Amino acid sequence: MLDALIVPLFVTTDLPPGAELTEFGELLAGAARTLGHEGASYDAFLTGKVFWLDRPVLPGQRPAAETESRFAGMLGHLAATCGAHAAREVVADLRVAIASAVDARYGDAGAPPAVFTIRDRDVRERTPETAVDVHTRDAPSELVTVARPYL
């Protein structure tokens, strides 16, 4: 059996005007495909759902202008073939990969994306119904199988 670590996650960042949610999700999932730690790489599989975290618009308020940045989030799980790496190290590796991918695609937003662990229960309970599914394409089938209960 595969020695894998499953980590529930929340990822969030500002995206520039005109950014597409589906593209953002694909970017996150792709960044998670291969992670690195101390010069060695290992496979990973990210599965989850992406959504906009727009500010609430109260009666009498105007919605955000189309020229403003938007806040996006992802709730999901990361399965990684990391051997003896601790969850903290795996999340740090993912944080580096996601920050690099977001910066390369969208440029410097002023602050790097936030990537942190949460409770598995929070992933299930807090994911909006309108969220869009994302997952790492071409991930090793063993990781997909390990993550299947979390899909």
Side-chain angles (χ1 to χ4, degrees):
M1 177 167 222
L2 180 68
D3 181 22
L5 178 67
I6 307 288
V7 183
L9 297 167
F10 178 54
V11 177
T12 186
T13 193
D14 285 325
L15 294 178
E20 294 182 9
L21 193 58
T22 303
E23 179 186 32
F24 171 64
E26 290 172 359
L27 183 72
L28 295 179
R33 173 64 179 85
T34 302
L35 301 178
H37 187 78
E38 296 180 355
S41 64
Y42 57 95
D43 292 323
F45 173 69
L46 181 66
T47 183
K49 295 186 176 196
V50 292
F51 49 92
W52 293 115
L53 289 165
D54 291 329
R55 67 175 170 81
V57 178
L58 301 174
Q61 287 184 330
R62 291 186 301 172
E66 290 184 19
T67 57
E68 290 183 28
S69 295
R70 292 185 77 183
F71 204 43
M74 191 231 37
L75 287 164
H77 294 86
L78 178 73
T81 59
C82 56
H85 298 311
R88 174 179 282 172
E89 294 169 330
V90 172
V91 171
D93 297 342
L94 179 63
R95 185 176 297 118
V96 168
I98 287 176
S100 177
V102 167
D103 188 52
R105 172 61 184 98
Y106 301 111
D108 183 8
V115 180
F116 51 92
T117 61
I118 59 173
R119 298 179 308 166
D120 179 60
R121 177 178 167 179
D122 287 331
V123 174
R124 291 188 311 272
E125 293 177 356
R126 298 182 186 272
T127 302
E129 290 182 23
T130 58
V132 178
D133 288 322
V134 298
H135 63 273
T136 303
R137 297 176 198 252
D138 302 322
S141 60
E142 299 88 7
L143 281 177
V144 176
T145 300
V146 167
R148 192 171 317 275
Y150 301 94
L151 299 174

